[in-house]
C-alpha cells in the first residue's frame, strides 16, 4: 500500500513540474450555427463564417469551433484579415476566464503557432454583452439563450487587448 502511494505521489510531483501546452492562441476557423435549411441540405450543424460576414474593427466570438479544445474561437479587431471577402474567416482559440484575474490567459504555444504580437496583448476581457444583460436574456427566454450562447454563462474570454487611443 505504501509503495503504491509513494509511486502515485512521485508521478504527481513529476507531472506538476511539466509545462502544459494549451490551445489558447492557436489559429482556428470561425463558425456559426447552421440554419434548419442548411442543416437539412448540408447535414452539418455549423457553417464556416466568411470574411464578408465580419465588419471591420469588430470583435467576433464563435462557439462550436472544432479547432479548439474549449470550442471557442475569437477574432479581435487587430487580427489579420484576408483581402478575399469569400475566404473563410480565421481567429484564434480562446476560453472563458475570470474577470480581474491576472492568470489563465497565458499563451503556452510556440510562437510559430500564434499570431504575431498576440502573446503580448492576450488578456481576460468581455467579448459578449455585460453579465446583467446575459442573465436577463437567459431569464426571459432560456431556449433562445441556449441557441445563441450555448452553455456559456460569462461575457469574459481570453482575447487580445485592443490598445486605447492616447489623448
Amino acid at each position: 500500500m505504501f509503495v503504491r502511494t509513494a509511486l502515485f505521489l512521485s508521478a504527481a510531483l513529476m507531472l506538476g513540474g511539466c509545462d502544459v501546452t494549451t490551445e489558447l492562441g492557436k489559429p482556428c476557423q470561425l463558425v456559426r450555427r447552421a440554419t434548419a435549411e442548411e442543416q437539412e441540405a448540408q447535414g452539418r450543424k455549423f457553417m464556416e463564417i466568411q470574411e464578408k460576414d465580419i465588419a471591420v474593427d469588430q470583435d467576433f466570438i464563435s462557439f462550436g469551433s472544432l479547432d479548439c479544445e474549449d470550442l471557442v474561437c475569437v477574432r479581435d479587431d487587430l487580427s489579420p484579415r484576408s483581402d478575399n471577402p469569400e475566404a473563410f474567416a480565421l481567429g484564434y482559440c480562446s476560453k472563458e476566464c475570470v474577470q480581474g484575474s491576472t492568470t489563465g490567459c497565458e499563451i503556452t504555444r510556440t510562437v510559430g503557432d500564434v499570431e504575431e504580437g498576440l502573446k503580448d496583448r492576450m488578456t481576460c476581457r468581455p467579448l459578449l454583452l455585460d453579465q446583467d444583460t446575459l442573465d436577463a436574456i437567459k431569464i426571459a427566454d432560456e431556449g433562445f439563450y441556449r441557441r445563441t450562447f450555448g452553455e456559456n454563462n460569462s461575457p469574459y474570454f481570453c482575447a487580445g487587448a485592443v490598445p486605447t487611443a492616447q489623448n
Side-chain angles (χ1 to χ4, degrees):
M1 183 75 146
F2 176 73
V3 173
R4 273 190 274 171
T5 304
L7 285 173
F8 177 73
L9 191 56
S10 297
L13 289 173
M14 287 174 62
L15 289 175
C18 296
D19 287 335
V20 177
T21 302
T22 67
E23 291 191 342
L24 191 62
K26 173 185 159 190
C28 54
Q29 194 167 344
L30 297 169
V31 296
R32 63 172 173 78
R33 184 176 295 274
T35 64
E37 295 81 25
E38 290 170 330
Q39 284 187 34
E40 187 175 317
Q42 299 193 16
R44 299 187 299 162
K45 283 186 159 185
F46 295 96
M47 303 297 295
E48 297 83 2
I49 293 174
Q50 295 178 313
E51 286 291 340
K52 66 182 178 184
D53 298 328
I54 301 176
V56 177
D57 299 332
Q58 177 184 25
D59 287 336
F60 197 93
I61 186 164
S62 172
F63 300 108
S65 177
L66 297 178
D67 296 333
C68 305
E69 62 193 347
D70 291 317
L71 305 178
V72 178
C73 184
V74 302
R75 177 154 118 183
D76 61 66
D77 68 342
L78 295 181
S79 295
R81 294 180 65 97
S82 171
D83 293 332
N84 178 358
E86 301 298 318
F88 294 138
L90 299 177
Y92 50 86
C93 293
S94 182
K95 64 179 183 176
E96 278 189 59
C97 55
V98 178
Q99 176 188 14
S101 173
T102 57
T103 61
C105 289
E106 297 85 14
I107 295 178
T108 57
R109 302 188 65 72
T110 58
V111 177
D113 290 343
V114 178
E115 167 191 319
E116 188 172 332
L118 183 59
K119 270 188 173 189
D120 298 330
R121 52 186 195 88
M122 186 67 84
T123 188
C124 181
R125 67 183 182 93
L127 286 177
L128 296 174
L129 306 168
D130 62 68
Q131 189 67 57
D132 291 340
T133 304
L134 280 177
D135 292 342
I137 293 170
K138 190 173 185 179
I139 290 168
D141 187 345
E142 190 164 345
F144 171 78
Y145 181 91
R146 296 282 176 229
R147 286 190 305 278
T148 306
F149 303 111
E151 296 302 314
N152 175 63
N153 291 309
S154 170
Y156 293 93
F157 291 87
C158 296
V162 179
T164 57
Q166 300 292 324
N167 291 339

